[in-house]
Amino acid sequence: MASPALRPIQKVLCANRGEIAIRVFRACNELGIRTVAIYSDEDRTHEHRHKADEAYLVGRGKRPVEAYLGIDEILDVAERAGVDAIHPGYGFLSENADFAEACERRGIRFIGPRSPVVRTMGDKVAAKELARKVGVPVVPGVTLEGDDARVLEQARAFFAQHGGPILVKAAHGGGGRGMRVVREAAELESALASARSEAKSAFGSSAVFLEKFLERVRHIEVQLLGDLHGNLVHLHERDCSVQRRHQKVIEIAPAPNLSQQLRTAICDAAVRLAREAGYSSAGTAEFLVSGDSFYFIECNARLQVEHTVTEQVTGVDLVQSQIRIAEGYRLDSPQVGIPSQDAIVPRGFAVQLRVTTEDPANNFMPDAGIITAWRAATGFGIRLDGSNGYTMARISPYYDSMLVKVIAYAPTFEGAVMKGQRALREFRIRGVKTNLPFLENVLRHPAFQSGQTYTRFIDETPELFK
Ligand code: ADP
């Protein structure tokens, strides 16, 4: 498929840490692409540093999270190391349109959608507007504008019209932060104030909007992949309903217990939306499902933590596809290998379990320290994506508490659940507390086993904590 538009990538920097940096380096390795890691002082012994061909210290003297947020410094390292492209992973700068733009300006490819798309999708209000435009249902809501008094006035009017509960959401939010459920009108003022200040400090913008809070919903999302020539496909859906505080804990592909009609309607809606946005690279459209209705909530213009389950059931390596697309390859080229939408047929079921260093008995308080004993699961149908998995590894209190992702794959959902349980039992981790026993309790629960979970399942099921 030689074409003048092709621009091969020889060297990639991953502007991230931990498991996703390692995931990206593995993908590059298999494509014969050289890899560059960045690491903070806090991460000097971290495994991701050693999984790359070259590694550079960044953020000297800064707070540990800031190391992975310093756009200019990261781009300086990239230039010095002579990289052609940067993979942002997830979190950190992955949805930062200024970063995507800065990469483009310096002639370094950003492995993700084009910067204007990153910008639109980073704004949940703009993304909902786009959805409305192409006839995709959205949760009823209102954007709040103006000063504090004006914002409160609009919020009161929305509450009076729709009643509670409602949800205050950060327009530029992510990771479940900047969200407040309001059940009584009297709580509005303080919920708005705390959501806005959290949004300001976490995302640099205090812009918030309101949505009707839907009770007993499932979170269903669609994996999208587009090339730079206008071709776009979906890679079917994932069920990410098992959440804690609006953050995903377990993800499944495809969604069990979902009618074919609903599945098709949701995937079609996702593609319509992505086409309208001019989407390329990998991304996700997220929906809430209530009975036979579905509502778009947001798009993530990046690779997601749970991309692995889609890879297992479709056989498509999403990271390598992103790289090939950034080189200019078309979806139907042998390098990407997706001749048509119909060619993507999910087979079997995959369940991803996020093993964290959190203590379920103590309100999931993150634990840190040295791993004194480590034995991981292995065997047929088990994939582990992660790092830190060795004795004497140091778990930092400054970063996300995810230790390893366990992905169980089997021909049936029941089989994948049994395999997941078996894998969890094989783990032995000492020195830091983990959520392993909690995950086992979820997998053993009849509601999980019959695909009946909803987003508040963990919060409303006390027996999971026994
Ligand atoms: P973030 O970007 O922070 O992840 P999302 O908009 O994707 O935020 O929402 C995260 C989760 O919050 C959803 O999966 C769902 O559990 C919950 N949520 C979001 N919007 C609503 C809503 N309108 N009603 C009920 N739950 C919601």
Side-chain angles (χ1 to χ4, degrees):
M1 263 250 150
S3 136
L6 287 183
R7 292 192 299 150
I9 291 174
Q10 254 115 37
K11 203 170 181 184
V12 167
L13 179 147
C14 183
N16 216 301
R17 64 182 296 283
E19 78 88 13
I20 195 60
I22 295 173
R23 169 74 189 87
V24 169
F25 297 149
R26 284 179 173 147
C28 291
N29 254 261
E30 292 166 16
L31 294 175
I33 293 173
R34 283 184 66 79
T35 53
V36 179
I38 54 169
Y39 63 96
S40 66
D41 198 34
E42 180 69 17
D43 274 341
R44 65 197 173 280
T45 62
H46 201 287
E47 207 185 345
H48 85 264
R49 169 184 177 184
H50 303 291
K51 289 276 194 244
D53 297 315
E54 296 168 33
Y56 298 90
L57 175 68
V58 291
R60 205 188 296 262
K62 291 191 187 147
R63 288 192 305 128
V65 288
E66 283 170 13
Y68 299 98
L69 293 171
I71 293 182
D72 291 336
E73 188 181 5
I74 292 171
L75 286 171
D76 287 346
V77 169
E79 258 174 18
R80 236 186 310 137
V83 311
D84 319 287
I86 293 185
H87 195 299
Y90 53 70
F92 296 117
L93 294 171
S94 61
E95 290 177 281
N96 185 318
D98 294 338
F99 181 56
E101 247 174 37
C103 291
E104 287 161 11
R105 259 201 316 274
R106 292 224 205 170
I108 296 171
R109 265 164 285 171
F110 176 78
I111 302 179
R114 298 175 183 96
S115 59
V117 179
V118 177
R119 199 170 293 286
T120 309
M121 292 309 180
D123 179 346
K124 293 184 191 196
V125 175
K128 280 181 78 172
E129 204 42 60
L130 203 72
R132 253 191 230 110
K133 196 170 149 199
V134 291
V136 172
V138 296
V139 185
V142 67
T143 312
L144 305 177
E145 275 149 8
D147 59 14
D148 288 354
R150 179 89 188 93
V151 160
L152 184 60
E153 189 187 319
Q154 294 164 81
R156 287 208 172 114
F158 183 80
F159 199 94
Q161 189 190 347
H162 293 271
I166 62 166
L167 190 61
V168 183
K169 281 175 126 173
H172 301 275
R177 281 180 304 163
M179 266 195 246
R180 297 286 181 283
V181 181
V182 180
R183 294 188 183 270
E184 306 291 338
E187 300 162 5
L188 260 179
E189 190 168 0
S190 66
L192 278 171
S194 66
R196 290 181 83 190
S197 79
E198 186 176 323
K200 178 82 192 156
S201 65
F203 314 112
S205 157
S206 62
V208 291
F209 64 105
L210 303 182
E211 264 179 8
K212 193 78 196 127
F213 182 71
L214 305 175
E215 311 260 16
R216 291 249 159 191
V217 283
R218 297 175 72 179
H219 174 118
I220 304 288
E221 61 183 34
V222 179
Q223 177 67 55
L224 297 156
L225 193 64
D227 65 22
L228 299 173
H229 309 274
N231 304 299
L232 188 110
V233 291
H234 70 79
L235 286 91
H236 301 267
E237 83 289 350
R238 298 185 279 258
D239 182 337
C240 312
S241 302
V242 180
Q243 306 183 347
R244 201 186 139 261
R245 295 203 179 147
H246 310 302
Q247 267 189 294
K248 297 159 191 165
V249 177
I250 297 178
E251 300 98 340
I252 310 161
N257 188 28
L258 187 71
S259 76
Q260 193 52 44
Q261 206 180 351
L262 204 48
R263 191 188 303 273
T264 308
I266 294 173
C267 290
D268 287 352
V271 169
R272 255 195 341 267
L273 187 65
R275 270 196 210 294
E276 181 66 25
Y279 214 92
S280 58
S281 194
T284 304
E286 300 191 331
F287 300 86
L288 297 181
V289 173
S290 169
D292 287 334
S293 306
F294 66 92
Y295 307 90
F296 168 77
I297 50 169
E298 68 156 340
C299 264
N300 285 319
R302 58 173 167 84
L303 193 70
Q304 284 190 293
V305 180
E306 60 273 24
H307 73 277
T308 56
V309 288
T310 298
E311 292 184 326
Q312 294 305 121
V313 298
T314 61
V316 174
D317 184 317
L318 286 167
V319 181
Q320 291 190 352
S321 301
Q322 284 186 301
I323 295 169
R324 289 312 202 188
I325 287 167
E327 291 184 308
Y329 285 103
R330 304 169 63 95
L331 290 184
D332 63 2
S333 66
Q335 286 76 7
V336 183
I338 303 177
S340 68
Q341 178 67 67
D342 294 344
I344 306 164
V345 182
R347 266 177 227 283
F349 280 85
V351 176
Q352 175 176 279
L353 310 158
R354 299 191 189 191
V355 178
T356 61
T357 51
E358 291 172 335
D359 182 3
N362 186 13
N363 201 24
F364 289 91
M365 184 82 89
D367 197 13
I370 303 284
I371 293 181
T372 53
W374 169 270
R375 193 171 80 214
T378 182
F380 185 34
I382 296 298
R383 163 178 173 184
L384 301 183
D385 273 31
S387 55
N388 265 326
Y390 53 95
T391 304
M392 295 311 288
R394 203 169 65 89
I395 306 299
S396 163
Y398 297 107
Y399 298 110
D400 188 89
S401 58
M402 195 167 69
L403 186 58
V404 61
K405 306 190 300 201
V406 180
I407 302 107
Y409 173 71
T412 62
F413 179 55
E414 299 71 34
V417 173
M418 290 305 283
K419 215 177 255 293
Q421 289 186 50
R422 187 272 288 167
L424 292 173
R425 283 196 300 271
E426 279 185 24
F427 269 94
R428 287 290 175 278
I429 300 173
R430 299 283 178 263
V432 287
K433 301 221 170 56
T434 71
N435 67 345
L436 284 165
F438 174 79
L439 291 171
E440 251 194 276
N441 288 348
V442 178
L443 292 201
R444 270 203 297 260
H445 199 283
F448 182 82
Q449 294 184 353
S450 56
Q452 310 272 346
T453 51
Y454 53 99
T455 55
R456 297 184 49 77
F457 170 66
I458 290 181
D459 301 318
E460 295 176 4
T461 314
E463 64 261 35
L464 297 174
F465 295 85
K466 283 181 189 145

